[in-house]
Amino acid sequence: IEREAEALIEEAWDRDMARDTVNSPAHYTTGGIETIDFIDAKGLSYGLGNAVKYITRAGKKDDEVEDLKKARWYLERAIAVRENATAA
């Protein structure tokens, strides 16, 4: 009986992890790779990572246009920082 209980607990845990909206939300896992894994693999900065985040989730979580505007804000900021660094 103890083994059966452990098996049931493990099965429930696996189901919960599959629906885990904290660690693997559906709007960040589309396409077979989590957005954060892509950001880490590319070594993107905080700002560029956020731009990618908002682009990849656009229309999947909140308002699509709002997400794209947020991405644009981060991209414009990244561009301004780089332009200012070049001008200095």
Side-chain angles (χ1 to χ4, degrees), residues 1 5 11 13 16 20 25 28 30 32-33 38 40 48 50 61 70 76-77 80 82-83 87:
I1 292 179
E11 183 180 317
W13 174 262
D16 286 345
D20 188 346
Y28 291 135
T30 304
I33 183 170
F38 175 83
D40 287 345
L48 292 179
N50 271 328
K61 181 179 179 188
K70 289 176 183 179
E76 288 175 351
R77 188 169 192 281
R82 284 156 180 77
E83 287 176 342

Side-chain angles (χ1 to χ4, degrees), residues 16-61:
D16 286 345
M17 289 307 291
R19 293 183 300 221
D20 188 346
T21 59
V22 173
N23 295 306
S24 295
H27 54 275
Y28 291 135
T29 58
T30 304
I33 183 170
E34 286 202 42
T35 302
I36 195 162
D37 293 333
F38 175 83
I39 292 167
D40 287 345
K42 296 297 182 180
L44 298 178
S45 66
Y46 175 82
L48 292 179
N50 271 328
V52 169
K53 173 184 79 171
Y54 285 116
I55 290 167
T56 60
R57 82 170 202 189
K60 295 178 180 76
K61 181 179 179 188

